[in-house]
Amino acid sequence: MDSSEHVCPVCGQPVETVVRRHKTLGAWVPRWEAGPCHNPECEAHVSGGEAERAGRESGETSASQP
């Protein structure tokens, strides 16, 4: 039920895919999730500076899903 393209849950616009990681049995495993919404009319909108700062704090990177 997982699609290859993620969308914003509020406005339905496509959003980028970000890679987050979690530790499982001592190994870091990648997990692809929906990134922040960049639609200026959306309630969940995140400006460029806020998204960049949040990404650095959580250690996520933008990537396309294989």
Side-chain angles (χ1 to χ4, degrees):
M1 185 156 191
D2 189 24
S3 68
S4 61
E5 186 175 319
H6 295 282
V7 294
C8 174
V10 178
C11 67
Q13 293 286 329
V15 294
E16 66 185 355
T17 302
V18 295
V19 179
R20 295 198 174 130
R21 57 190 188 129
H22 66 279
K23 203 167 196 178
T24 301
L25 299 174
W28 288 102
V29 180
R31 183 176 63 215
W32 286 266
E33 297 180 351
C37 183
H38 296 289
N39 179 5
E41 287 113 27
C42 179
E43 295 174 1
H45 170 69
V46 176
S47 68
E50 292 174 21
E52 190 176 311
R53 186 175 344 108
R56 279 194 308 253
E57 290 172 359
S58 66
E60 68 188 34
T61 59
S62 296
S64 59
Q65 188 171 1

